Amino acid sequence: MGARVTGVDFSPKAIARARELARRAGLSAEFVEADSQRLPDALTGRFDLVVATYGVLPWVADLDAWMGGAARALRPGGWLVLVDLHPVFQTVLTFDPFVADWPYGGGAPQHDAMTGTYAHGDAPLEPQAATQHPYSVGEIVTAAASAGLVVERLGEHTETETDGRHILPQGPDGLYWFPFSDTYLPVLYSLSAVRPAAAGRD
């Protein structure tokens, strides 16, 4: 739709795959191999929009560095849009029976052996060591504010079209919900924040 898109990932395999998919789709896009906690200076102030979605911050060891990089990549007046699994939902190991085994926030490394993939939770793969970091909603919003961003909207969403963790019941409407007593707990959150325009400009 006319956007000039740049993708960033620390994995050279992911970058190579993205370039191949863009080539096959006939899309013009730039892909940069870099750690999102230490973005290269060449990306500073280049973008009107920074987007990160689904399975983002738990893989980030330094939340402040990630938010700071996102803020620096934006032009004045540019937006950060972040959509991810809600920290409450991330505490849950299984829904039925209900077992919660993950901290709510704090950022302390959590070590686990993971099987499957985002696309196929039951894929027959050897367990792989993984380290994730739990952040609360308050910590995420505070990190955005500390990076100089102005949070315009924080949404907490009780339904989702897909359950990447493969633990939620699917409702008759085809959506996945997180029932709790006689209500629902949030599955996703969305955060929209803007880098303020430079002083003396509209």
Side-chain angles (χ1 to χ4, degrees), residues 105-183:
Q110 305 295 305
H111 305 287
D112 197 4
M114 301 187 71
T115 58
T117 70
Y118 286 115
H120 189 338
D122 299 320
L125 300 175
E126 291 294 321
Q128 301 289 319
T131 300
Q132 299 186 67
H133 307 268
Y135 298 112
S136 68
V137 170
E139 289 167 329
I140 294 165
V141 171
T142 298
S146 297
L149 298 171
V150 176
V151 176
E152 295 283 346
R153 184 179 186 278
L154 174 68
E156 298 179 281
H157 312 285
T158 55
E159 71 283 338
T160 177
E161 294 180 352
T162 60
D163 173 19
R165 299 188 60 206
H166 312 285
I167 64 173
L168 290 178
Q170 189 174 19
D173 56 3
L175 299 176
Y176 294 88
W177 300 76
F178 185 0
F180 188 78
S181 186
D182 59 352
T183 187

Side-chain angles (χ1 to χ4, degrees), residues 7 22 39 58 60 74 77-79 85 104 140 167-168 170-171 183 186 188 194 198:
L39 291 178
V60 172
L74 291 169
W79 287 84
L85 298 179
Y104 181 81
I140 294 165
I167 64 173
L168 290 178
Q170 189 174 19
T183 187
L188 302 173
V194 63

